[in-house]
Amino acid sequence: MTRPHRRHRRRTPPGSPPGTLIADPSAQAPTMRLMRYAPGRLDERVVADIVELGQSVAGDGVAWLDVDGLADVDLVRSVGGLFKVHNLALEDVVNVHQRPKVEVYDDHLFIVTRMPVSPASAETEQVAIFLGANYVLTFQERPGDCFDPVRERIRKGARIRELGADYLAYALIDASIDAYFPVLERHGEVVDELEAEVTSQPDDGMTRRIQGVKRDLLTLRRAIWPQREMVNALIRDESRFVTAQTRLYLRDCYDHVVQLVDILETYREIASGLIDIYLSSVSARMNEIMKLLTIIATIFIPLGFVAGLYGMNFDPSVSPWNMPELGWYWGYPFALGLMTAIGVGLLAFFYRRGWLGRRRRR
Amino acid sequence: MTRPHRRHRRRTPPGSPPGTLIADPSAQAPTMRLMRYAPGRLDERVVADIVELGQSVAGDGVAWLDVDGLADVDLVRSVGGLFKVHNLALEDVVNVHQRPKVEVYDDHLFIVTRMPVSPASAETEQVAIFLGANYVLTFQERPGDCFDPVRERIRKGARIRELGADYLAYALIDASIDAYFPVLERHGEVVDELEAEVTSQPDDGMTRRIQGVKRDLLTLRRAIWPQREMVNALIRDESRFVTAQTRLYLRDCYDHVVQLVDILETYREIASGLIDIYLSSVSARMNEIMKLLTIIATIFIPLGFVAGLYGMNFDPSVSPWNMPELGWYWGYPFALGLMTAIGVGLLAFFYRRGWLGRRRRR
Amino acid sequence: MTRPHRRHRRRTPPGSPPGTLIADPSAQAPTMRLMRYAPGRLDERVVADIVELGQSVAGDGVAWLDVDGLADVDLVRSVGGLFKVHNLALEDVVNVHQRPKVEVYDDHLFIVTRMPVSPASAETEQVAIFLGANYVLTFQERPGDCFDPVRERIRKGARIRELGADYLAYALIDASIDAYFPVLERHGEVVDELEAEVTSQPDDGMTRRIQGVKRDLLTLRRAIWPQREMVNALIRDESRFVTAQTRLYLRDCYDHVVQLVDILETYREIASGLIDIYLSSVSARMNEIMKLLTIIATIFIPLGFVAGLYGMNFDPSVSPWNMPELGWYWGYPFALGLMTAIGVGLLAFFYRRGWLGRRRRR
Amino acid sequence: MTRPHRRHRRRTPPGSPPGTLIADPSAQAPTMRLMRYAPGRLDERVVADIVELGQSVAGDGVAWLDVDGLADVDLVRSVGGLFKVHNLALEDVVNVHQRPKVEVYDDHLFIVTRMPVSPASAETEQVAIFLGANYVLTFQERPGDCFDPVRERIRKGARIRELGADYLAYALIDASIDAYFPVLERHGEVVDELEAEVTSQPDDGMTRRIQGVKRDLLTLRRAIWPQREMVNALIRDESRFVTAQTRLYLRDCYDHVVQLVDILETYREIASGLIDIYLSSVSARMNEIMKLLTIIATIFIPLGFVAGLYGMNFDPSVSPWNMPELGWYWGYPFALGLMTAIGVGLLAFFYRRGWLGRRRRR
Amino acid sequence: MTRPHRRHRRRTPPGSPPGTLIADPSAQAPTMRLMRYAPGRLDERVVADIVELGQSVAGDGVAWLDVDGLADVDLVRSVGGLFKVHNLALEDVVNVHQRPKVEVYDDHLFIVTRMPVSPASAETEQVAIFLGANYVLTFQERPGDCFDPVRERIRKGARIRELGADYLAYALIDASIDAYFPVLERHGEVVDELEAEVTSQPDDGMTRRIQGVKRDLLTLRRAIWPQREMVNALIRDESRFVTAQTRLYLRDCYDHVVQLVDILETYREIASGLIDIYLSSVSARMNEIMKLLTIIATIFIPLGFVAGLYGMNFDPSVSPWNMPELGWYWGYPFALGLMTAIGVGLLAFFYRRGWLGRRRRR
């Protein structure tokens, strides 16, 4: 679980006019892939530049242009111009830290969603989707996504070819949402491992790991929660871009988001309790250490005192009261016996208090 | 209280077309049981295959087909086809980690509920219910359920035979909800036991047990809360499948869910406080141990010092200032008296501070 | 403050037909008391059986039948039949763990409220109230209630006699709600006592007592909160059973519930903080103990070392370097001086750190 | 910050008929002050009894009767009768623990607000305001209030004289709300002081003081929060008693309450964190004490052992293996050297761990 | 991160008539800057007094008067009079602790927003904006703001010149909101640093720093949250002052506020967890210290006892039982061997418990 250390920077300087496009410093060079399809037909190609795009995009059927990489702000502006997309939406395309949302424009819907980058991390990548009458336009931060199964369904001529652009948009949203299930599963395993370790072998690095997974879950929460509103807005939306049939599928998609939220909040609650358990495990260990110290010290300090007592150098020759024990026939055995009695007595006291071996029994 | 370690896996891979049916890896082989009844008539049988089902299901009265086990995806699809059930709903039937919900389709209601597997565990089993005009179709994960009293009422020709399919659906939902009462009762006993033990004999395994019961209650919460919305949706629903009379019974059922939620949240709040009490019990014990160590060490370390003092080997023959006590007539008794005075003084100090025996008095 | 250990059992087995009446195992034998009144008239009697009841209940004016004890399920059913009360409501009458609520039926309102059993406990007793056109029917778990002042007002021919059955129902609800004020006052005193003790003399049993009062307040909360909704539902209700004038009185009653909730939440918040204060008091005590141990040990361990040093038996006759101090004229005073210097130095160090006596000063 | 220890007693016994007036045991003797004013005229007098009041109150302009002290229940009832005020409202006048609220009656609005008693305490005093067509009637618990600036504005013939009774009511509410600003400021200073002390010099009484200020803030919260609803209800209210112009002023007043709530919640959140900081300060001190103990004990216990070793009395004359060191020429220097080496080694170990002086550096 | 210690004082004394203007004690002398522009024209000047202002402000196009410094209450009143602004709004202009809000008056909108003073602090400065038909009036507490880019856009003759006063108001609000991004970024870095340090090198001042950043985030929260409502109110507002096109831009601005809130709450949640991590780090250190003390004391106290034992002075000449070991040939080696055996045995015990070096391994 790596902690995403990217700050949530807005690149556009405060006070700029709205619609100013400035590339994110980590943005990558773009590639464009176009899929045009109709029930009996499929044209898939990588588009080199805006001129070729202008030529290829016209015609009937559904067109899906997928732009990977947002470093070339001019290209983004040109593509936006070609599809007559609103400037404010384009600004959100290159500012890649948007929350998932839907915005209704006259000519198109603008949808922002986020998909996980890999199952092992909480990092997410912004996907901006424009849904028009017969096209879908997607902008991703970098190559590599979870849309290959959708592409495959288009290529295999499945039912998706018979349906409109809104169904394609649904399929993409659904794929990006379902991609969170393995991510949550992975984090759930980490939480379970931590929960098992925290009582059996709590160590120093544990707080750091617990805080790490809590932070990951917090990051995921920020990505997943707004998707719920986003899908819900699509379902309730009265625009002409989403058909009643697709709304039914979106309802299913909504169920999935609710399930994600449910699982996420469960893990968050469990993870929240871990610090408490860790602290109580550490307290229990401390208790055990203190008990040992107390037992050893409490037994040997009095014994040491007795030994010290008979190590005193009072002169027995001066008076019969000066350490007569030193001259007794059974003096040394008496002293040893005294010490044994003290030691056994204290052990019995500890045993009665249940400090010896009791831990084992439980 | 076993902790359910089943991960919340969605089996359908991300990007699949909606309505793809893939069996859960732990799904069991199906058995089908059909009950057809009308006020004066009952036909109950185990149905071997889809052909026999097609023949048996036609006719008047109410038909209840109960499918136990979801391993045979083809059978699920065939049964769904026979009752003209929507494909998206069938996907939810085999994905057995759904939250309770109601979905309205043109020809039927699709209801998902969850019933507890046994009173001693927080594990639940998904029950998918299709309610049509004159049929009820139920899909369970495995044999064994809480519906036997309902079957008995049908067999005994009770009032249920005179009422429609919606009343049967209500009876099943009511039975699955009432089955949570013993589960919560059992967990309440565990919480009470932990609360009693945590002050009387806190031990090492306690955090683990508290965390276990908290996790169980969290799991139950995820199963019970959405049932409230589910029953409420059925009551408010304007479809033709639920009659006004059944709505009255569902209101009663709603009361039961609210009561469950109420009890559950009470237990959760009590369980939440247990870790704090545990920590304060451990602190109190630590305190007691430290007190003993302090008393023993504080008394015997000064005494040991005095003994060590008179064990020094300064030569009294060199000067009258060199340890004259060693040559005194009452030297040794003086030393013993000094030690006794120190010991008694310290004990008096501890007694005044209330460190001796005070714990007993309280 | 006794902790109510009664589990929240629903007695009706899961899967029973709705309206099944099964007596609570702790239910008591019933007594019936009837009051029939009109402005100039009052007929009050204890009714022996259902036959006598049938004869006495007819006539004009307002009839209030109060049934104390729910062990006789048949009697409950007969009374219910006489007043034509719905079966589902009767099931709730004998299942005595209902949350306060209002249910509207065609012929009557069904109201469930809870009244405290005694000011010193958090236990509550269910009161089921049926409000019809000209009758009020109340079912209580056991004899003894907070309705005597209402009975007295009826007997004295006060204004209540001139008003309808809805005003009587209001008077009963108001009395049962006002009975919570002394209960909360008592628990508030306990919270205050605990708060005072927790800093002055924290002891072992304190966590148990704090948890006890928190649990009591939780129990009261479960009884009081739904009463707010209940009264509010009566105020907003559009049925013909509650007149506009009585609604005005119910608004006053609603104010009282809100005040109860307010007081309750304040106590809950204070009680929540007590565990923290307890832990910090215990920490402070531990600190004090450790400080004493540290002072004594830190002073006497070095002194003991010096004493031990001069107790070594190196032979001064072998070389001038072997413990020449032992043969010095001022050897012993020198050793004592060294020890005094070490002791005073350490005391000065502790004093500068403010470990000595500082606690007193504050 | 004194803690208000008055219990929240309702004096009217449970079951009393609504509208029963019983004086609070701490209620004071009443004084009545009447101000009658119109643009060019002002008549201000102290009214001795109800007869005089009846004579003085008639006429045009606005009449403000201010009753200070609620011990004389009969007077309250007479005044209420004179202004034809509802009995239920009068009950709330003498039960001085009401939450701020607005109630609409046919002839008047009934407003309850609370004003702080002094800036240094969280105690508040109930002010009951009746707003009629051309009169304002205020009941306060005791003499002394925050209305003198309003009286002054009336006396000086300011704009308030030209406006109606509703503006006067607004001015009184505004004055009582603004009086909370110095109270919160004072409590904010206490929170800041505690925050500064808790890290620099945490002491025993601190938990008590933190709990005290938390309790004060809780008390203030109970007084301030409902005022927000109260003012909002006045703004939204459709009755004829509040003019559109006064509504504009009330909107300003609403802003002030929201600001109060905002400040209050900020202080509450900071105060909540103080216990945690206190505990961590105490832990840090404990740590420091333990470190000192460990350093001293860890260094001197081994040294003491070496000294004890050479204090043993084995007889060197019996064998060359019996403590030959005692007879070495450099025996004593060797022993001293050994001890120095051990001491220096341990100090180096502690230094490397950063236990020495490191605290200073930070 | 400096903690803003300015108390939230309302300067207007309680009971003053509404609309009383009293300058904040820290208010600065005012300067006025006027920009009048239309598509092809720009007139920018510093205005000396109210007379010059009256002459300059008339004419067509959009006028933006920016007043920096609020010490001169008369000037504020004059300017307000010139633009016919409501008195209540002017009171809020000089009371500089308002929460962001929108108020609708007949002739203008009154908007309060707050902008950060510097990226390194949580302190904010109030900006009061009046938006009329063709003017914008801004009042700031002191010179220096985040509006320079907006001024630059006006000077450069950008698109802003072609749009109305409402677009200018939007641009100012947008600039003041975007200015929070660097502030949050800076605080996020502080939180990250603290999180890194708290596990690697927890020290005494850390609680103070954690509390400091929590308090800063709380202050920012009080400034940012109400801006969300403020922008939302502008979007939903039906007044004639905001055009549909500007509403679209405000929607974008709303997105930014939501993003700010999102980031802020994330940091707050992380910061909340830091105290827990700090406490657990301190506990872990304490544990380590106690372990060392226990190991040293537990090994050397028994060894010291053995040494003390053979330092006793029982007289071997009196009986063969008196310390015969002292006279053994291998006596001393035997004693040393015994001590070694005890030491090694205890070390083995500690090793088996994993107390030695185990920390390193992890």
Side-chain angles (χ1 to χ4, degrees), chain A residues 50-65:
Chain A
I50 189 72
V51 180
E52 185 185 346
L53 179 63
Q55 292 159 350
S56 328
V57 87
D60 59 348
V62 174
W64 171 20
L65 177 68

Side-chain angles (χ1 to χ4, degrees), chain C residues 10-196:
Chain C
R10 272 182 58 75
R11 277 295 122 196
T12 323
S16 309
T20 307
L21 302 192
I22 295 180
D24 195 271
S26 67
Q28 307 194 2
T31 63
M32 291 190 288
R33 191 160 22 167
L34 181 71
M35 289 183 103
R36 292 190 48 80
Y37 62 83
R41 192 161 37 80
L42 170 65
D43 171 20
E44 181 174 6
R45 67 172 76 179
V46 171
V47 184
D49 54 30
I50 190 73
V51 180
E52 186 186 345
L53 179 63
Q55 292 158 349
S56 329
V57 88
D60 59 349
V62 174
W64 171 22
L65 177 69
D66 181 31
V67 183
D68 276 9
L70 302 169
D72 187 346
V73 174
D74 292 330
L75 181 76
V76 171
R77 198 178 289 114
S78 310
V79 171
L82 196 67
F83 286 90
K84 299 192 180 59
V85 146
H86 199 282
N87 235 24
L88 275 174
L90 283 184
E91 189 187 347
D92 288 348
V93 166
V94 297
N95 275 317
V96 293
H97 300 294
Q98 304 299 315
R99 304 172 81 231
K101 64 175 174 183
V102 176
E103 283 181 1
V104 183
Y105 290 95
D106 287 345
D107 290 343
H108 56 272
L109 290 182
F110 174 53
I111 302 162
V112 177
T113 185
R114 305 192 72 84
M115 66 184 171
V117 162
S118 95
S121 125
E123 210 182 337
T124 57
E125 175 187 345
Q126 173 171 315
V127 184
I129 302 175
F130 291 90
L131 167 60
N134 59 350
Y135 68 87
V136 168
L137 190 56
T138 52
F139 290 93
Q140 303 181 42
E141 292 185 52
R142 77 200 80 163
D145 56 30
C146 53
F147 298 151
D148 282 335
V150 178
R151 290 190 189 96
E152 215 43 56
R153 278 154 62 194
I154 296 175
R155 284 180 201 128
K156 286 191 305 194
R159 197 156 164 272
I160 191 169
R161 278 224 214 144
E162 299 160 29
L163 296 163
D166 61 330
Y167 186 86
L168 174 59
Y170 148 74
L172 297 174
I173 293 169
D174 191 53
S176 70
I177 282 171
D178 282 3
Y180 282 99
F181 280 97
V183 179
L184 278 186
E185 202 172 314
R186 184 77 169 261
H187 281 83
E189 280 160 16
V190 172
V191 169
D192 282 358
E193 271 168 34
L194 281 171
E195 194 184 19

Side-chain angles (χ1 to χ4, degrees), chain B residues 153 195 255 267 280 353, chain C residues 7 15 101 207 215 288 310:
Chain B
R153 278 154 63 193
E195 194 183 18
D255 268 9
Y267 290 151
S280 83
R353 291 236 163 165
Chain C
R7 297 253 61 80
K101 64 175 174 183
T207 45
R215 201 165 181 160
E288 189 190 355
Y310 294 115

Side-chain angles (χ1 to χ4, degrees), chain C residues 231-251:
Chain C
V231 176
N232 201 21
L234 280 175
I235 293 173
R236 283 183 335 233
D237 186 60
E238 293 304 317
S239 73
R240 61 191 162 97
F241 300 104
V242 182
T243 62
Q245 190 187 19
T246 304
R247 256 180 249 281
L248 207 64
Y249 290 114
L250 282 168
R251 207 173 61 176

Side-chain angles (χ1 to χ4, degrees), chain E residues 73-146:
Chain E
V73 173
D74 292 329
L75 181 75
V76 171
R77 197 178 291 115
S78 309
V79 171
L82 196 67
F83 287 91
K84 299 191 180 60
V85 146
H86 200 282
N87 234 24
L88 275 174
L90 283 184
E91 189 186 348
D92 289 347
V93 166
V94 298
N95 276 317
V96 293
H97 301 293
Q98 305 299 316
R99 304 171 79 232
K101 64 178 173 181
V102 176
E103 282 180 359
V104 183
Y105 290 95
D106 287 345
D107 291 341
H108 56 272
L109 291 181
F110 175 52
I111 302 162
V112 176
T113 185
R114 305 191 72 83
M115 65 184 172
V117 161
S118 93
S121 126
E123 210 182 335
T124 56
E125 175 187 344
Q126 172 171 316
V127 183
I129 302 175
F130 290 91
L131 168 59
N134 59 349
Y135 68 87
V136 168
L137 190 54
T138 53
F139 290 93
Q140 304 181 42
E141 291 185 51
R142 75 200 81 162
D145 55 29
C146 53

Side-chain angles (χ1 to χ4, degrees), chain B residues 340-358:
Chain B
T340 309
I342 291 173
V344 168
L346 285 167
L347 279 173
F349 174 81
F350 295 143
Y351 185 81
R352 277 224 322 280
R353 291 236 163 165
W355 292 8
L356 298 172
R358 195 158 170 183

Side-chain angles (χ1 to χ4, degrees), chain A residues 250-266:
Chain A
L250 282 167
R251 207 172 63 177
D252 188 56
C253 186
Y254 182 75
D255 268 10
H256 297 180
V257 188
V258 170
Q259 213 174 331
L260 281 174
V261 164
D262 209 30
I263 296 172
L264 179 69
E265 294 302 321
T266 304

